[in-house]
Amino acid sequence: MLDRVLNPATKAPNFGRRDNAPVGWAVSDAPVPYPDAVAAMEARAAAIADGQAGELVWLLEHPPLYTAGVSAKAGDLLEPDRFPVFPTGRGGQFTYHGPGQRVAYVMLDLTARRRDVRAFVAALEAWVIGALAEFNVEGGLREGRVGVWVERRTPGLPPREDKIAAIGVKLRRWISFHGVSLNVEPDLGHFSGIVPCGVTEHGVTSLVDLGLPVTMDEADAALRHSFAQVFGEVTDAPPPV
């Protein structure tokens, strides 16, 4: 059973700007090295805080790598030599990034919206759940487990819960960075080098693994539409690198 479910028919939480200014929406076509992405995010977040740049959502893919959030446990890195490992200041534990996974880095000004961290995280969850609903996938939340989950039913077998999206953010001067990652068509075997987000008793899935031949462009369109429902309108913008 879902502990918390956002019904796609229910109005999504509103976390829009008070002035209704649109958010920049950037997409990088080529994989971006993780250190380059972090440097660009931090620079953009600082510029937003100083009033020198607008908000930005940046969609990209990374080369295969693992990241360790502030709550990561050393024992959850099962294969330390498999891919590069990057400590990161976002919340959460170990996660995998790589081709076929859409990473969305979210640089928003909570002062211009609402200085409410719990409401912000709930809005990120609603955003991903709304995007999944466009493919008739029911995403849900679980108490004690971060991210977005799906329940899988196979005749003759008990229901199984798999994670399809991760969420990990950081705030500095009330500007957010890091964000969410949605599994579109990554190599799910690459998650076996870690205990994803510290959870051992459940699996990881993707849209394609669920039997949906979704392309990255289609996933991007769903993310863009759902984002506008929760955070407000977007406008095309160049990537920060």
Side-chain angles (χ1 to χ4, degrees):
M1 289 293 294
L2 302 183
D3 292 309
R4 293 182 289 151
V5 178
L6 178 69
N7 186 329
T10 302
K11 181 176 174 60
N14 185 300
F15 207 81
R17 286 180 62 100
R18 289 188 292 273
D19 61 5
N20 296 317
V23 179
W25 188 269
V27 181
S28 288
D29 295 326
V32 179
Y34 189 76
D36 294 353
V38 172
M41 270 195 295
E42 295 204 349
R44 183 61 175 246
I48 294 170
D50 291 337
Q52 298 175 354
E55 295 179 313
L56 184 71
V57 176
W58 181 21
L59 275 58
L60 53 82
E61 294 173 88
H62 285 305
L65 58 92
Y66 297 130
T67 63
V70 295
S71 301
K73 301 174 182 176
D76 287 345
L77 180 59
L78 306 179
E79 298 182 33
D81 299 324
R82 186 169 185 176
F83 296 126
V85 180
F86 296 95
T88 179
R90 62 158 175 80
Q93 302 185 43
F94 279 104
T95 194
Y96 164 77
H97 295 312
Q101 181 191 73
R102 177 52 89 206
V103 175
Y105 288 134
V106 182
M107 289 152 275
L108 299 183
D109 182 359
L110 269 63
T111 298
R113 296 171 179 271
R114 223 186 312 162
R115 287 190 176 188
D116 186 331
V117 177
R118 290 173 66 92
F120 174 55
V121 173
L124 293 174
E125 294 167 341
W127 168 32
V128 175
I129 290 170
L132 292 172
E134 300 207 10
F135 303 108
N136 294 316
V137 174
E138 184 180 38
L141 310 174
R142 304 296 189 273
E143 293 296 338
R145 284 189 255 149
V146 180
V148 178
W149 300 76
V150 296
E151 186 174 72
R152 307 181 70 169
R153 293 184 176 273
T154 303
L157 296 175
R160 179 177 122 196
E161 294 181 352
D162 287 341
K163 189 172 188 176
I164 195 167
I167 297 174
V169 293
K170 184 174 181 178
L171 296 175
R172 182 180 296 153
R173 298 166 64 190
W174 290 102
I175 308 299
S176 70
F177 51 111
H178 296 283
V180 308
S181 58
L182 173 64
N183 295 331
V184 180
E185 192 180 7
D187 184 338
L188 296 177
H190 291 170
F191 285 89
S192 65
I194 57 172
V195 178
C197 299
V199 178
T200 58
E201 64 271 27
H202 300 285
V204 180
T205 191
S206 69
L207 288 168
V208 171
D209 184 53
L210 292 173
L212 300 168
V214 177
T215 67
M216 192 65 77
D217 286 344
E218 290 169 335
D220 289 352
L223 285 166
R224 182 167 180 153
H225 180 258
S226 181
F227 183 91
Q229 303 304 306
V230 179
F231 293 97
E233 292 302 317
V234 301
T235 185
D236 292 338
V241 293

